[in-house]
Amino acid sequence: GAVVSQHPSRVICKSGTSVKIECRSLDFQATTMFWYRQFPKQSLMLMATSNEGSKATYEQGVEKDKFLINHASLTLSTLTVTSAHPEDSSFYICSARRPDTDTQYFGPGTRLTVL
Amino acid sequence: GQQLNQSPQSMFIQEGEDVSMNCTSSSIFNTWLWYKQDPGEGPVLLIALYKAGELTSNGRLTAQFGITRKDSFLNISASIPSDVGIYFCAGQSNAGNNRKLIWGLGTSLAVNP
């Protein structure tokens, strides 16, 4: 297996503030990480692909200025939700692709609530 | 976006029963993956399949990569209460550096002790 951590696990913020979520691969180096959003009782929706040392690739309909992604090292990617609004409240999950098995391992998720 | 056809959508079974779920796709994949997600947690990888026809076991779980590369199934034998959760299939092609996962909609499993 592999271990991917996410921090924080839960965050409550006021509307208009920005929130940063960290994703770390703890036992392997990941050139590629992914950020997902999941609504209740639904599957995971890919937001963006984060490549170390280059700009993230965003899925259609995802605002890159709203969801800032930085992948500055082979073990860390961050997602910043800027000027958060209540409709941004969701469960955000990251994953890291293990290069030797070409398989994605997921973090435990971050529950964001915007008041 | 594209999604896989995963069935059944939900299952309610008695402890000790066997479970079977499957996924089909209109396009071929090079990798099939099965994940389990508990409430409030991220998905946990159960089984990864890399070759058409491959049959792989992980304890009481068995999964197969279909010969056509367009389908996969997951079996759980002798279910126990901790098998409760949502099971997702995912397919991955080898095209491009990003190699996104295409997801099924999930099978919700409930086990009656």
Side-chain angles (χ1 to χ4, degrees):
Chain A
V3 182
V4 176
S5 70
Q6 238 178 286
H7 177 81
S9 58
R10 217 175 256 280
V11 57
I12 301 172
C13 69
K14 290 183 180 178
S15 189
T17 60
S18 294
V19 173
K20 181 188 280 190
I21 304 170
E22 292 186 350
C23 179
R24 293 180 187 273
S25 59
L26 299 182
D27 56 351
F28 66 94
Q29 294 185 325
T31 53
T32 306
M33 290 183 169
F34 302 84
W35 286 96
Y36 294 83
R37 185 172 178 177
Q38 187 177 34
F39 293 102
K41 298 190 186 301
Q42 292 191 20
S43 187
L44 281 73
M45 182 186 79
L46 180 65
M47 298 174 66
T49 302
S50 170
N51 293 297
E52 188 266 337
S54 65
K55 290 183 180 179
T57 303
Y58 289 81
E59 295 299 299
Q60 191 172 8
V62 178
E63 298 175 58
K64 62 180 182 185
D65 296 328
K66 172 93 177 150
F67 299 99
L68 299 178
I69 291 172
N70 184 280
H71 192 158
S73 80
L74 288 171
T75 58
L76 173 64
S77 176
T78 60
L79 169 69
T80 301
V81 183
T82 62
S83 187
H85 291 283
E87 58 265 30
D88 299 324
S89 298
S90 193
F91 192 52
Y92 292 88
I93 313 173
C94 72
S95 72
R97 186 165 69 212
R98 187 171 177 133
D100 54 346
T101 59
D102 199 26
T103 302
Q104 288 187 35
Y105 290 87
F106 286 82
T110 297
R111 172 72 59 193
L112 170 63
T113 303
V114 185
L115 302 176
Chain B
Q2 181 188 359
Q3 280 186 313
L4 305 178
N5 296 313
Q6 184 172 349
S7 64
Q9 187 176 2
S10 63
M11 302 181 75
F12 187 86
I13 61 171
Q14 292 294 124
E15 183 177 359
E17 289 184 359
D18 297 342
V19 172
S20 186
M21 58 192 81
N22 71 85
C23 270
T24 60
S25 168
S26 58
S27 52
I28 62 173
F29 290 112
N30 299 99
T31 304
W32 279 93
L33 303 159
W34 285 92
Y35 291 88
K36 177 179 182 244
Q37 187 177 26
D38 292 328
E41 299 287 334
V44 173
L45 181 65
L46 299 175
I47 292 179
L49 302 159
Y50 299 103
K51 212 161 64 168
E54 179 182 353
L55 183 72
T56 297
S57 293
N58 177 8
R60 293 178 296 106
L61 278 61
T62 302
Q64 183 158 33
F65 191 143
I67 288 290
T68 65
R69 293 165 64 192
K70 292 183 178 182
D71 63 300
S72 177
F73 71 75
L74 174 71
N75 287 344
I76 305 173
S77 63
S79 58
I80 58 177
S82 62
D83 290 334
V84 167
I86 301 179
Y87 292 78
F88 290 101
C89 64
Q92 178 178 285
S93 70
N94 285 351
N97 286 330
N98 291 339
R99 299 200 282 287
K100 298 183 287 191
L101 291 180
I102 308 300
W103 293 86
L105 293 179
T107 295
S108 177
L109 178 64
V111 179
N112 192 28

